[in-house]
Amino acid sequence: VGKSSLVHLLCQNQVLGNPSWTVGCSVDVRVQDYKEGTPEEKTYYIELWDVGGSVGSASSVKSTRAVFYNSVNGIMLVHDLTNKKSPQNLYRWSLEALNKDSSPTGVIVSNGDYDREQFAENPVPLLLIGTKFDQIPENKRNEVLTRTAFLSEDFNAEEINLDCTNPRYLAAGTSNAVKLSRFFDKVIEKRYFTRDPSQV
């Protein structure tokens, strides 16, 4: 879906020339100015973990991925706008990452039903990112965006759509850049300013 290209663009502000499959996990660091432009502004370093694997992976691979989900402070759910099945896979990925999938081989979305309440009080910031926007023909973009519009409501999260081969989609001042900055500020707040009641 372009996760490696996205992470590289977010952290290096450059297009990844020759992306490859992620095996296990790849980590990169983003410099984030928390509350930019305010008296509380402070620079933080955020690790972005690109976790490899596919939704249909064997249970052993899935249970290995769970190692990367411990103590997560934010989740970017990335989907391919050119693939109709990709948005549906986000439900399984999100529940797996939030450790709400109790059985390693369990079906998360049954009969096409989805319980929005699963994310209503989710303390982990979520951001939806649709990739490969450039590969959608101009005359089909509204149709694709209408098809994926429900995702923001289902996950109680903002969504951005972009082309990972063009940094202008994340240029300062764009709505995508503002949403991204808001998301990273929430991640920082969760990590540094929110007390976990289970650790009291």
Side-chain angles (χ1 to χ4, degrees):
V1 298
K3 294 187 311 288
S4 298
S5 296
L6 173 65
V7 169
H8 190 80
L9 182 61
L10 292 174
C11 295
Q12 308 302 324
N13 200 28
Q14 296 176 344
V15 173
L16 182 60
N18 192 14
S20 59
W21 292 95
T22 302
V23 177
C25 180
S26 174
V27 180
D28 208 337
V29 177
R30 175 184 171 88
V31 178
Q32 176 68 21
D33 290 325
Y34 173 72
K35 292 199 175 190
E36 186 175 16
T38 70
E40 296 89 21
E41 183 174 338
K42 184 176 177 183
T43 300
Y44 285 87
Y45 297 92
I46 298 177
E47 288 182 356
L48 297 180
W49 293 32
D50 172 8
V51 180
S54 62
V55 170
S57 295
S59 62
S60 61
V61 173
K62 186 175 178 181
S63 62
T64 302
R65 283 195 306 258
V67 171
F68 302 116
Y69 303 141
N70 289 333
S71 302
V72 65
N73 294 302
I75 299 173
M76 287 189 281
L77 295 168
V78 184
H79 64 102
D80 178 348
L81 291 165
T82 65
N83 179 341
K84 287 183 181 182
K85 292 182 181 180
S86 187
Q88 291 303 314
N89 293 335
L90 295 180
Y91 298 103
R92 292 185 181 153
W93 278 115
S94 60
L95 293 173
E96 179 182 317
L98 292 169
N99 298 313
K100 294 188 179 190
D101 176 14
S102 56
S103 63
T105 58
V107 176
I108 310 268
V109 181
S110 60
N111 302 325
D113 294 333
Y114 176 70
D115 182 8
R116 289 185 177 150
E117 296 301 314
Q118 294 176 83
F119 293 97
E121 296 182 30
N122 171 37
V124 178
L126 297 175
L127 179 67
L128 299 164
I129 301 179
T131 61
K132 303 183 183 177
F133 188 71
D134 59 307
Q135 295 179 23
I136 303 170
E138 290 270 342
N139 62 344
K140 296 283 186 185
R141 287 186 178 173
N142 281 341
E143 176 187 325
V144 170
L145 296 179
T146 299
R147 188 177 69 230
T148 62
F150 65 92
L151 293 170
S152 290
E153 187 176 330
D154 279 358
F155 287 105
N156 192 25
E158 290 189 291
E159 181 175 23
I160 63 176
N161 298 302
L162 51 78
D163 164 12
C164 293
T165 65
N166 190 337
R168 76 176 175 87
Y169 281 88
L170 296 174
T174 62
S175 64
N176 283 348
V178 170
K179 290 176 184 178
L180 196 62
S181 184
R182 247 190 325 249
F183 168 74
F184 283 127
D185 281 359
K186 288 177 188 175
V187 169
I188 291 166
E189 288 165 1
K190 179 181 183 316
R191 170 65 177 91
Y192 294 103
F193 304 116
T194 305
R195 261 189 104 153
D196 183 353
S198 67
Q199 296 179 356
V200 174

